[in-house]
Amino acid sequence: MLKTIPNHVSISGSGTPCFFLHGGPGMDSSYFFPYLEPLTKIFQCHLIDLRGCGRAPRLDRSEYTTEKMLQDLEVYRKQCGFEKIVLLGHSFGAVLAIEYALAFPQNVQALILVATAARSDFLRDTTRNAKQFPEV
């Protein structure tokens, strides 16, 4: 059985399940509404505060990995009984959505990616490149 860290989730709307993945890391899902509220007419919106973010519990730094966040999403999908989900990701949340779709393609109906990088290794490359610049 997969174990997960409880994320904070707010649910509204009805229809196809859609997991909203916020930017950050460190932000929370509260900024999605009221802007995306019209989507509740076609989606059951699951606004997820990822592990250690927003209203989710704080953990040891070693617990904040992409792999563990992907497992959190997969366990939550199974707990909800959803065969397939739509993932709406913004910024870092979209990177996580891409990673989830690569790891669990059979569980993804669609991706909605907002303001993100096309490659999942973008964060690693950006951090490495930023270290080449002097402090401002």
Side-chain angles (χ1 to χ4, degrees):
M1 182 172 134
L2 295 173
K3 183 180 176 190
T4 187
I5 301 300
N7 299 315
H8 181 275
V9 181
S10 298
I11 303 170
S12 62
S14 60
T16 303
C18 181
F19 291 8
F20 286 56
L21 307 178
H22 61 77
M27 296 180 73
D28 65 42
S29 61
S30 65
Y31 67 88
F32 285 120
F33 279 72
Y35 308 107
L36 299 181
E37 193 165 355
L39 294 178
T40 62
K41 293 178 179 150
I42 56 171
F43 292 124
Q44 182 184 60
C45 302
H46 295 251
L47 282 69
I48 300 172
D49 286 356
L50 301 169
R51 63 170 52 210
C53 298
R55 293 157 288 185
R58 300 300 178 261
L59 306 168
D60 183 78
R61 289 178 62 105
S62 65
E63 296 297 316
Y64 301 122
T65 67
T66 300
E67 292 76 23
K68 290 180 180 183
M69 289 181 187
L70 295 177
Q71 285 301 320
D72 291 345
L73 295 172
E74 177 58 3
V75 169
Y76 181 66
R77 181 196 65 79
K78 286 182 176 181
Q79 287 174 343
C80 291
F82 300 139
E83 183 178 335
K84 291 186 176 280
I85 56 173
V86 172
L87 294 166
L88 185 152
H90 170 248
S91 188
F92 171 75
V95 171
L96 196 59
I98 292 168
E99 289 290 338
Y100 182 90
L102 291 170
F104 304 101
Q106 70 281 3
N107 303 335
V108 177
Q109 180 175 330
L111 292 174
I112 303 169
L113 306 175
V114 181
T116 192
R119 293 187 1 241
S120 61
D121 55 358
F122 172 78
L123 295 175
R124 182 200 67 216
D125 292 347
T126 301
T127 301
R128 184 190 68 231
N129 293 340
K131 290 179 181 177
Q132 297 180 27
F133 292 94
E135 289 188 41
V136 178

